[in-house]
mmCIF file of all heavy atoms in Angstrom:
data_model
loop_
_atom_site.group_PDB
_atom_site.id
_atom_site.type_symbol
_atom_site.label_atom_id
_atom_site.label_comp_id
_atom_site.label_asym_id
_atom_site.label_seq_id
_atom_site.Cartn_x
_atom_site.Cartn_y
_atom_site.Cartn_z
ATOM 1 N N MET N 1 227.066 214.964 242.040
ATOM 2 C CA MET N 1 227.845 213.806 241.601
ATOM 3 C C MET N 1 228.094 212.893 242.789
ATOM 4 O O MET N 1 228.435 213.350 243.874
ATOM 5 C CB MET N 1 229.191 214.262 241.030
ATOM 6 C CG MET N 1 230.081 213.125 240.551
ATOM 7 S SD MET N 1 231.639 213.736 239.863
ATOM 8 C CE MET N 1 232.422 212.194 239.444
ATOM 9 N N LEU N 29 231.191 211.106 248.362
ATOM 10 C CA LEU N 29 231.948 209.860 248.336
ATOM 11 C C LEU N 29 231.328 208.925 249.358
ATOM 12 O O LEU N 29 231.340 209.213 250.562
ATOM 13 C CB LEU N 29 233.421 210.111 248.666
ATOM 14 C CG LEU N 29 234.303 208.862 248.812
ATOM 15 C CD1 LEU N 29 234.408 208.129 247.474
ATOM 16 C CD2 LEU N 29 235.686 209.223 249.315
ATOM 17 N N THR N 35 233.556 198.015 253.662
ATOM 18 C CA THR N 35 234.661 198.362 252.775
ATOM 19 C C THR N 35 235.842 198.884 253.587
ATOM 20 O O THR N 35 235.665 199.689 254.500
ATOM 21 C CB THR N 35 234.226 199.436 251.766
ATOM 22 O OG1 THR N 35 233.164 198.930 250.981
ATOM 23 C CG2 THR N 35 235.381 199.833 250.842
ATOM 24 N N PHE N 37 238.782 201.273 253.722
ATOM 25 C CA PHE N 37 239.231 202.494 253.073
ATOM 26 C C PHE N 37 240.511 202.951 253.767
ATOM 27 O O PHE N 37 240.527 203.228 254.962
ATOM 28 C CB PHE N 37 238.151 203.570 253.187
ATOM 29 C CG PHE N 37 238.555 204.920 252.647
ATOM 30 C CD1 PHE N 37 238.362 205.236 251.316
ATOM 31 C CD2 PHE N 37 239.130 205.872 253.482
ATOM 32 C CE1 PHE N 37 238.729 206.476 250.818
ATOM 33 C CE2 PHE N 37 239.494 207.115 252.996
ATOM 34 C CZ PHE N 37 239.293 207.409 251.656
ATOM 35 N N THR N 45 236.961 201.384 258.331
ATOM 36 C CA THR N 45 236.134 200.268 257.869
ATOM 37 C C THR N 45 234.745 200.466 258.467
ATOM 38 O O THR N 45 234.483 200.087 259.611
ATOM 39 C CB THR N 45 236.713 198.911 258.313
ATOM 40 O OG1 THR N 45 238.082 198.811 257.911
ATOM 41 C CG2 THR N 45 235.923 197.763 257.684
ATOM 42 N N HIS N 69 245.520 215.294 275.972
ATOM 43 C CA HIS N 69 246.609 214.434 276.409
ATOM 44 C C HIS N 69 247.806 214.602 275.474
ATOM 45 O O HIS N 69 247.666 215.050 274.333
ATOM 46 C CB HIS N 69 246.183 212.965 276.386
ATOM 47 C CG HIS N 69 244.868 212.703 277.051
ATOM 48 N ND1 HIS N 69 244.631 212.986 278.369
ATOM 49 C CD2 HIS N 69 243.704 212.207 276.563
ATOM 50 C CE1 HIS N 69 243.392 212.665 278.672
ATOM 51 N NE2 HIS N 69 242.799 212.204 277.595
ATOM 52 N N TYR N 85 229.855 208.602 261.881
ATOM 53 C CA TYR N 85 230.606 207.434 261.408
ATOM 54 C C TYR N 85 230.469 206.302 262.409
ATOM 55 O O TYR N 85 230.642 206.487 263.621
ATOM 56 C CB TYR N 85 232.084 207.786 261.226
ATOM 57 C CG TYR N 85 232.951 206.584 260.908
ATOM 58 C CD1 TYR N 85 232.991 206.056 259.618
ATOM 59 C CD2 TYR N 85 233.708 205.958 261.898
ATOM 60 C CE1 TYR N 85 233.760 204.953 259.327
ATOM 61 C CE2 TYR N 85 234.479 204.849 261.612
ATOM 62 C CZ TYR N 85 234.509 204.350 260.328
ATOM 63 O OH TYR N 85 235.270 203.240 260.032
ATOM 64 N N LEU N 99 256.597 208.983 268.171
ATOM 65 C CA LEU N 99 255.846 208.585 269.365
ATOM 66 C C LEU N 99 255.902 209.635 270.471
ATOM 67 O O LEU N 99 255.129 209.556 271.440
ATOM 68 C CB LEU N 99 256.381 207.255 269.902
ATOM 69 C CG LEU N 99 256.021 206.007 269.090
ATOM 70 C CD1 LEU N 99 256.780 204.794 269.607
ATOM 71 C CD2 LEU N 99 254.530 205.760 269.136
ATOM 72 N N TRP N 117 237.297 216.818 272.574
ATOM 73 C CA TRP N 117 238.050 215.584 272.383
ATOM 74 C C TRP N 117 237.392 214.447 273.157
ATOM 75 O O TRP N 117 236.928 214.642 274.278
ATOM 76 C CB TRP N 117 239.488 215.738 272.880
ATOM 77 C CG TRP N 117 240.385 216.514 271.958
ATOM 78 C CD1 TRP N 117 240.746 217.822 272.079
ATOM 79 C CD2 TRP N 117 241.034 216.025 270.780
ATOM 80 N NE1 TRP N 117 241.580 218.181 271.044
ATOM 81 C CE2 TRP N 117 241.774 217.093 270.231
ATOM 82 C CE3 TRP N 117 241.061 214.789 270.134
ATOM 83 C CZ2 TRP N 117 242.542 216.966 269.075
ATOM 84 C CZ3 TRP N 117 241.813 214.652 268.982
ATOM 85 C CH2 TRP N 117 242.537 215.725 268.454
ATOM 86 N N ALA N 119 238.116 210.210 274.136
ATOM 87 C CA ALA N 119 239.032 209.074 274.100
ATOM 88 C C ALA N 119 238.235 207.786 274.020
ATOM 89 O O ALA N 119 237.237 207.614 274.732
ATOM 90 C CB ALA N 119 239.917 209.065 275.349
ATOM 91 N N VAL N 163 223.252 196.273 280.636
ATOM 92 C CA VAL N 163 221.838 196.592 280.426
ATOM 93 C C VAL N 163 221.065 195.284 280.476
ATOM 94 O O VAL N 163 221.375 194.343 279.735
ATOM 95 C CB VAL N 163 221.610 197.292 279.068
ATOM 96 C CG1 VAL N 163 220.135 197.628 278.896
ATOM 97 C CG2 VAL N 163 222.453 198.547 278.956
ATOM 98 N N HIS N 189 219.772 206.585 273.936
ATOM 99 C CA HIS N 189 219.024 205.444 273.404
ATOM 100 C C HIS N 189 218.930 205.573 271.896
ATOM 101 O O HIS N 189 218.854 206.681 271.352
ATOM 102 C CB HIS N 189 217.628 205.414 274.024
ATOM 103 C CG HIS N 189 216.710 204.388 273.443
ATOM 104 N ND1 HIS N 189 215.641 204.711 272.616
ATOM 105 C CD2 HIS N 189 216.689 203.036 273.549
ATOM 106 C CE1 HIS N 189 215.003 203.597 272.271
ATOM 107 N NE2 HIS N 189 215.628 202.572 272.812
ATOM 108 N N SER N 215 222.774 203.730 288.253
ATOM 109 C CA SER N 215 221.735 202.934 287.595
ATOM 110 C C SER N 215 220.649 203.860 287.065
ATOM 111 O O SER N 215 220.441 204.965 287.581
ATOM 112 C CB SER N 215 221.127 201.907 288.550
ATOM 113 O OG SER N 215 220.447 202.551 289.622
ATOM 114 N N LEU N 278 193.793 196.982 288.893
ATOM 115 C CA LEU N 278 195.140 197.264 289.378
ATOM 116 C C LEU N 278 195.140 197.212 290.899
ATOM 117 O O LEU N 278 194.168 197.648 291.552
ATOM 118 C CB LEU N 278 195.613 198.643 288.925
ATOM 119 C CG LEU N 278 196.129 198.815 287.496
ATOM 120 C CD1 LEU N 278 196.549 200.265 287.271
ATOM 121 C CD2 LEU N 278 197.307 197.877 287.225
ATOM 122 N N GLY N 285 203.121 191.789 300.982
ATOM 123 C CA GLY N 285 201.815 191.283 300.577
ATOM 124 C C GLY N 285 200.629 192.071 301.096
ATOM 125 O O GLY N 285 199.478 191.700 300.852
ATOM 126 N N LEU N 311 204.875 196.577 294.996
ATOM 127 C CA LEU N 311 204.490 195.714 293.883
ATOM 128 C C LEU N 311 203.169 196.178 293.304
ATOM 129 O O LEU N 311 202.205 196.405 294.047
ATOM 130 C CB LEU N 311 204.379 194.252 294.341
ATOM 131 C CG LEU N 311 205.633 193.610 294.921
ATOM 132 C CD1 LEU N 311 205.329 192.194 295.399
ATOM 133 C CD2 LEU N 311 206.770 193.596 293.905
#
Side-chain angles (χ1 to χ4, degrees):
M1 180 179 179
L29 174 65
T35 299
F37 175 88
T45 307
H69 311 300
Y85 173 79
L99 287 171
W117 283 100
V163 181
H189 173 252
S215 64
L278 281 180
L311 300 177

